[in-house]
Amino acid sequence: MPLNIAVLAKASLDPNMIRTRGDSLVDIEAMPLALSEYDKNAVEAAVQAKEKHGGKVYVLSVLTWPPAARRVKELEQVMREALAMGADEAHVVVDEALIPGDPLATAEAFAALIRKLGQVDLVVAGEASMDMISSQVAARVAALLDLPFIGFARSLEIGDGRVRAVRDLEDRLETVEAPLPAVVSVTGEANKPRIPTLIQVRRAFRKPINRYSLADLGLEPPAKPELGEIRVLTVSRKNIILEGDNLEEIAEKLIDALIKEGVIKA
Amino acid sequence: MVKALAFTMEPGLVAELASHTRRLAGEAVLVAPKEAASKAPAGVYTKAYILEAGDPAAFAAALEKVYNEYKPDIVLTIASKNNTTAAALLAAKLRLPMLTEALEPRIEGSTLTAKRRVLGGRAEASYRAQLPAVLSLARGAAEPLQEAGGVEAQPLEAPQPRVTLLESKEKVREAVNLEEAEIVVGVGRGFRSREDLKLAEELAQLLGGVVGASRPIVADYGWLSEDRWIGISGKKIRPKLYIAIGISGAPQHMAAAMDSKIIVAVNKDKNAPIFQYADYGVVADLYQFLPVLIKKLRERLNR
Ligand SMILES: Cc1cc2nc3c(=O)[nH]c(=O)nc-3n(C[C@H](O)[C@H](O)[C@H](O)COP(=O)(O)OP(=O)(O)OC[C@H]3O[C@@H](n4cnc5c(N)ncnc54)[C@H](O)[C@@H]3O)c2cc1C
Ligand SMILES: Nc1ncnc2c1ncn2[C@@H]1O[C@H](COP(=O)(O)O)[C@@H](O)[C@H]1O
């Protein structure tokens, strides 16, 4: 049975590229967007399922960071990455009323978009976005579409109109099963995301990226919690670098330093 | 007066939940599995509902009924994976805002303010939301409230789950306490095999420390148990000395080691981000450097 699979892939602020204004205030507009780390696992899971069962992979995204005008390009780049991995079409929602993002608003946009796409058998998301780490959006989408939800799947398998997954909880691994259509969020351990070849990257430029506003989805601007300032948490470190060919000398220096710091005892 | 609906699928989190509930609410009810609901302190809750854990969606559906009857101003839980999932499912159905891993929650009138860690745990965001709202509170932020139970506990019915459980396997636990350790030796993907971790184990033993690890070592390769996982999705550490070896220094890892007094990094890549987080950074191949360090330490420490 061919499957229509929707993957939720976020253009996230990259936590490896934190930029600040003043001493600790995060300068959101100066930070680049990147495909959220575990959303690559979501794309991989969807593409693997398509390769096995046939069908189509839609990659969906909601722009959540300002300034929208400039970010649209970055969002498209992120979508190209998913398309190069094997997704067939991208569908993105860009609307000032959804910026800055909130799981409530984002999930309502996704639910409307998925309804608009028609028959979707499986929705795959990441366990948490790398910028907001809220682990809400996938569950919210499932609730809004009234679909079964399996969160934190560290493996998944599709067959006979069902999805079987191993749910990775704090103290146990649960093997669970749900009828399709269903929503699943995957962990970083679910698979190894492929690196697209140059040909696949080039081919991705020919795949469509469709853009929607809230009005296109028939939605009113949702009420969101207000996101105030974001401050980076820093601890100043000594940043003393020991390098060179003489490892014995480096080891001696390190041991001396640690004794002096009082963290090891001679 | 703030009315709260508090719930937990994890019985072990009930004392921490009670502590937050007492601080935030004037009146509250609790939904939890029997062993937890039967201990609901009367000083915090007026009523308890017994609901066995099972599937988060079925749990959330039962919570929704209590919500609609009780009409609370706030829904409270403590962030475990299942609790956060159930909270998010409930929040979506009720169209309520929700904050995951919330810190320092405050309610004034009908306004809720709270903070949470974002950007891989490296930054803190401030939020303001209008009640009613849902809070999945960060673990370990409140002293568990140990108070005898004594409220009426009434069973609650959950619908048949659509997600069926086929098998459940307990994870292996070890008797290590990374959170309290004074010296931690962290291992990452720079190690090429489980065998090779012996080098780090020897170093840790020599220093009287404990071996911890980055997420891939534990979750991907399964070389060490989850008690040794350092990071925002694992354990938070605050040792005197953290020696991170063959770890690149991802924000999600380092955010949980920020309270270390001294951080030493050993990495062969001079440009590895970990060096920005280190007091002492050794640019070297761990396979060459560790044997030398261990030998020198033995000489210096007479061990
Ligand atoms: C939502 C989310 C949550 C996460 N939670 C966590 C978490 O809780 N904990 C966590 O650790 N990660 C977490 N991660 C993953 C994190 O982003 C990184 O992928 C992970 O920490 C990398 O682990 P690593 O440093 O061991 O591996 P790598 O990043 O692969 O780094 C290996 C390092 O070893 C060095 N190296 C290689 N060979 C040698 C050698 N011979 N000698 C010396 N150095 C060598 C390399 O230069 C490199 O810097 C999370 C990610 C996300 C998105
Ligand atoms: N704005 C977004 N665009 C695309 N996908 C998203 C967005 N926000 C969240 N998601 C998906 O939902 C998952 C969980 O996100 P979060 O609830 O923010 O932790 C992510 O891993 C994505 O798969």
Side-chain angles (χ1 to χ4, degrees):
Chain A
M1 180 191 79
L3 299 166
N4 285 334
I5 307 171
V7 190
L8 313 185
K10 187 176 188 184
S12 290
L13 292 176
D14 186 347
N16 297 297
M17 306 281 270
I18 295 179
R19 297 287 173 270
T20 54
R21 247 183 304 135
D23 51 348
S24 65
L25 196 63
V26 172
D27 187 354
I28 290 171
E29 302 209 356
M31 287 178 64
L33 300 181
L35 177 54
S36 196
E37 192 164 331
Y38 294 157
D39 295 3
K40 292 181 194 163
N41 300 88
V43 176
E44 179 64 36
V47 172
Q48 280 183 17
K50 180 184 81 168
E51 286 168 348
K52 194 156 164 209
H53 300 278
K56 226 169 184 176
V57 174
Y58 307 109
V59 53
L60 316 185
S61 201
V62 173
L63 184 69
T64 62
W65 296 111
R70 173 160 59 77
R71 296 294 195 186
V72 170
K73 263 229 160 56
E74 279 180 278
L75 175 64
E76 285 184 1
Q77 264 164 26
V78 169
M79 292 298 98
R80 297 275 176 223
E81 203 177 324
L83 293 168
M85 286 177 73
D88 299 286
E89 309 173 352
H91 297 267
V92 303
V93 187
V94 179
D95 199 303
E96 290 290 351
L98 297 172
I99 299 170
D102 182 81
L104 184 154
T106 301
E108 293 198 352
F110 276 138
L113 179 58
I114 291 167
R115 282 206 188 92
K116 203 176 173 82
L117 292 174
Q119 174 65 34
V120 168
D121 304 294
L122 181 68
V123 179
V124 193
E127 65 171 286
S129 58
M130 67 179 176
D131 50 6
M132 298 321 271
I133 339 171
S134 60
S135 298
Q136 283 188 44
V137 172
R140 279 183 180 265
V141 168
L144 293 171
L145 295 173
D146 200 23
L147 297 179
F149 177 65
I150 302 173
F152 304 95
R154 66 165 295 144
S155 69
L156 76 165
E157 209 180 297
I158 293 145
D160 291 335
R162 311 183 71 77
V163 54
R164 185 178 283 204
V166 174
R167 192 146 66 183
D168 196 339
L169 300 175
E170 286 85 353
D171 58 345
R172 61 192 188 278
L173 294 170
E174 291 184 345
T175 308
V176 295
E177 197 179 77
L180 297 180
V183 181
V184 178
S185 82
V186 296
T187 73
E189 290 74 36
N191 52 43
K192 200 164 176 292
R194 69 193 66 192
I195 314 258
T197 64
L198 214 62
I199 295 173
Q200 288 168 324
V201 171
R202 234 178 276 144
R203 214 176 282 150
F205 279 91
R206 276 184 259 137
K207 296 181 178 176
I209 299 181
N210 302 300
R211 191 169 142 184
Y212 308 80
S213 66
L214 279 183
D216 295 334
L217 299 174
L219 293 178
E220 297 287 324
K224 297 179 298 184
E226 203 183 301
L227 171 61
E229 56 185 29
I230 304 180
R231 288 197 178 272
V232 71
L233 303 161
T234 39
V235 181
S236 71
R237 296 284 171 191
K238 297 195 173 80
N239 300 121
I240 295 168
I241 298 294
L242 305 168
E243 60 183 322
D245 293 333
N246 193 341
L247 295 182
E248 302 234 340
E249 195 184 302
I250 293 176
E252 291 279 2
K253 275 193 194 155
L254 180 63
I255 294 167
D256 286 339
L258 297 181
I259 290 171
K260 213 164 143 214
E261 297 281 1
V263 294
I264 63 173
K265 279 189 204 80
Chain B
M1 186 180 59
V2 177
K3 271 170 76 173
L5 162 57
F7 81 88
T8 177
M9 294 179 67
E10 255 62 72
L13 298 175
V14 73
E16 208 174 314
L17 181 60
S19 173
H20 283 289
T21 311
R22 164 168 286 170
R23 207 179 60 75
L24 287 169
E27 187 195 309
V29 297
L30 172 71
V31 180
K34 182 153 196 244
E35 60 168 304
S38 62
K39 287 188 230 146
V44 179
Y45 301 107
T46 53
K47 192 169 181 177
Y49 295 90
I50 299 167
L51 183 59
E52 292 315 318
D55 186 68
F59 201 95
L63 283 172
E64 197 182 341
K65 283 203 200 116
V66 178
Y67 182 93
N68 288 330
E69 260 172 47
Y70 187 61
K71 298 194 170 55
D73 302 298
I74 193 146
V75 178
L76 299 174
T77 191
I78 307 282
S80 68
K81 290 179 186 176
N82 269 344
N83 280 347
T84 295
T85 300
L89 291 164
L90 177 72
K93 290 270 193 227
L94 299 167
R95 295 202 74 190
L96 296 182
M98 166 173 162
L99 299 177
T100 306
E101 306 251 0
L103 294 160
E104 301 173 40
R106 271 189 187 77
I107 296 171
E108 259 170 62
S110 65
T111 305
L112 164 76
T113 58
K115 293 179 172 173
R116 51 185 310 274
R117 297 283 156 88
V118 297
L119 300 178
R122 290 267 290 108
E124 194 166 73
S126 309
Y127 282 89
R128 180 188 301 274
Q130 291 310 305
L131 298 180
V134 179
L135 282 184
S136 178
L137 297 146
R139 275 175 90 150
E143 202 56 45
L145 182 75
Q146 308 292 358
E147 219 175 85
V151 298
E152 180 203 15
Q154 167 190 326
L156 202 61
E157 233 11 93
Q160 199 60 34
R162 287 185 292 178
V163 176
T164 45
L165 179 65
L166 304 175
E167 196 196 330
S168 178
K169 228 170 77 197
E170 293 286 315
K171 288 184 178 173
V172 191
R173 283 263 164 270
E174 280 183 278
V176 291
N177 192 347
L178 220 58
E179 283 142 311
E180 304 294 328
E182 293 229 313
I183 294 182
V184 176
V185 175
V187 296
R189 264 207 303 220
F191 286 83
R192 291 192 284 263
S193 73
R194 169 72 185 89
E195 253 321 89
D196 297 349
L197 300 186
K198 285 218 173 81
L199 280 170
E201 279 154 9
E202 196 180 345
L203 178 64
Q205 204 176 25
L206 202 56
L207 296 172
V210 178
V211 172
S214 67
R215 175 164 172 159
I217 297 295
V218 172
D220 247 351
Y221 308 156
W223 290 347
L224 294 172
S225 81
E226 296 203 2
D227 308 281
R228 297 187 188 266
W229 173 340
I230 300 167
I232 57 164
S233 31
K235 302 269 190 280
K236 201 169 176 224
I237 59 170
R238 45 183 168 82
K240 282 194 306 196
L241 173 61
Y242 179 39
I243 309 181
I245 307 168
I247 290 177
S248 61
Q252 298 88 357
H253 182 84
M254 295 318 295
M258 246 166 3
D259 294 339
S260 308
K261 183 171 172 235
I262 295 290
I263 295 181
V264 173
V266 179
N267 197 303
K268 70 173 180 188
D269 173 9
K270 200 180 161 158
N271 297 316
I274 187 114
F275 290 124
Q276 298 161 25
Y277 299 100
D279 294 288
Y280 299 93
V282 177
V283 184
D285 187 318
L286 71 92
Y287 287 95
Q288 290 167 10
F289 182 66
L290 286 192
V292 176
L293 180 65
I294 288 167
K295 187 186 91 188
K296 289 277 166 201
L297 270 171
R298 281 197 196 290
E299 288 170 16
R300 295 287 293 276
L301 308 182
N302 281 319
R303 277 178 212 156

